[in-house]
Amino acid sequence: MIVNKLKNLREKMLKQSVRSEDWTQEGLAKRLGVTRQTIISMEKGTYNPSLVLAFKIAHEFGMAIEDIFEYRDEKN
Amino acid sequence: MIVNKLKNLREKMLKQSVRSEDWTQEGLAKRLGVTRQTIISMEKGTYNPSLVLAFKIAHEFGMAIEDIFEYRDEKN
DNA sequence: ACTTAACGTAAAGTAAACTTTACATTTAAA
DNA sequence: TTTAAATGTAAAGTTTACTTTACGTTAAGT
């Protein structure tokens, strides 16, 4: 199971950013090369991104994958 | 585009390991919960793992995802 | 209050990750 | 040198990430 901090991180950037339109769901989606639906589903946790997308996201936020996504063993 | 060091890492473990059967394609596949085909395709670079699988792999090798997988912009 | 940008939902379709099966080749040990 | 384990290949099927479309809700400015 994968847990992510996408929603929190994006909303934080929205508030902090001068060019806030860059951090709307649509703005981020465009820069990542995916649709807004994909952002929504990831923020909801409906599905997990591919590794490629995870790398792109990490790059956009200037963080490591492990700082944004956390893997939790199913058992726990 | 994603480049990985899977084949090298696994073969290194094969040589070093006392219980070398743990690091055959089949042994690793079983621990990761995937098939041997999946390992083969990843080592060949035929396709990229999901983020979940990348996390499991990183855990098996005791490394960070970024140490095993490298993202390269298509342009370069 | 009205407008509009941003966010949310749902459902059907496409693409790619991953499985399954089956068989062929390499490698190493007896 | 034969045997078996390990690796490689290929093709068709399933699952899931991701798209597309279309419409409903919320929030914030005027």
Side-chain angles (χ1 to χ4, degrees), chain A residues 51, chain B residues 2-14 23-25 28 32 34 37-50 53-61 63-65 67-70:
Chain A
L51 181 56
Chain B
I2 286 188
V3 173
N4 71 68
K5 305 177 181 166
L6 278 179
K7 188 160 189 177
N8 286 342
L9 285 174
R10 190 181 58 80
E11 284 174 350
K12 195 176 168 191
M13 295 303 279
L14 246 184
W23 296 98
T24 61
Q25 290 178 341
L28 179 58
L32 293 171
V34 297
Q37 259 317 310
T38 299
I39 305 288
I40 290 171
S41 300
M42 284 191 303
E43 290 190 351
K44 266 207 319 188
T46 299
Y47 62 67
N48 307 120
S50 64
L53 185 48
F55 264 114
K56 287 180 183 172
I57 290 170
H59 185 253
E60 282 298 326
F61 285 102
M63 303 171 85
I65 289 180
D67 295 329
I68 305 175
F69 300 93
E70 186 189 344

